[in-house]
Amino acid sequence: MIGLLCFVLGILASPFKSKIRLAAENAALRHQLIVLRRKLRGRVQLANSDRWFFVQLYRWFPSILKVLTIIRPETLVRWHRAGFRSYWRWKSRSLGGRPQIDADLRALIRRMSIENPLWGAPLGRATHSRRTPQARV
């Protein structure tokens, strides 16, 4: 919704922009496409002529700085995934409560309970008879 609103406002404001500024913005975007297509692998490498072009364009039109960000689509997707990853890590964090027991301590308790059959609550009829009330005669 916000994107649509920005798009509509941009269309409404576009007749008031100077034609030279609009042409400079188009030149910057086209040069960015040329730079992105020229790269082979990995990070985008700017040549000195590219840097000079962007610096001169910025000197003539300082408002063009919003357009001068070169981001590959893979980078944007990676940022998006990292954002979701950090959100769900934050969402599923421990909120306190009882502290966790170490795994070796749990293994020791389990081993001791197996080795000591009398340890803990009795099982079977004795447990059942203890829970049901006895009628006195």
Side-chain angles (χ1 to χ4, degrees):
M1 185 66 185
I2 293 173
L4 181 64
L5 182 65
C6 290
F7 177 71
V8 170
L9 289 176
I11 287 176
L12 292 175
S14 64
F16 302 110
K17 292 181 182 178
S18 68
K19 297 292 181 185
I20 297 172
R21 184 172 158 251
L22 198 58
E25 188 174 328
N26 284 341
L29 291 172
R30 286 180 186 191
H31 197 76
Q32 285 180 6
L33 286 175
I34 290 169
V35 168
L36 283 173
R37 286 184 184 144
R38 187 176 54 208
K39 76 160 185 83
L40 296 175
R41 261 192 278 161
R43 195 171 180 171
V44 174
Q45 297 292 326
L46 292 176
N48 286 335
S49 60
D50 299 328
R51 290 186 186 94
W52 180 84
F53 176 77
F54 288 132
V55 166
Q56 291 302 321
L57 203 58
Y58 175 69
R59 284 183 183 167
W60 294 331
F61 305 98
S63 63
I64 206 85
L65 192 61
K66 297 175 193 172
V67 184
L68 289 181
T69 306
I70 299 177
I71 298 175
R72 293 182 298 158
E74 299 89 25
T75 306
L76 190 62
V77 170
R78 188 177 68 240
W79 289 346
H80 196 248
R81 287 180 181 159
F84 269 108
R85 204 171 28 249
S86 65
Y87 170 76
W88 284 109
R89 189 174 296 132
W90 168 80
K91 187 89 170 145
S92 62
R93 72 190 185 283
S94 174
L95 296 176
R98 185 175 183 173
Q100 291 289 325
I101 299 174
D102 293 332
D104 55 345
L105 183 60
R106 276 185 281 165
L108 175 66
I109 292 170
R110 190 166 287 123
R111 190 188 59 166
M112 287 176 66
S113 70
I114 291 171
E115 291 174 358
N116 299 316
L118 300 178
W119 196 38
L123 300 175
R125 278 182 69 187
T127 306
H128 181 59
S129 65
R130 227 187 261 172
R131 289 185 187 163
T132 55
Q134 297 288 330
R136 292 190 181 183
V137 181

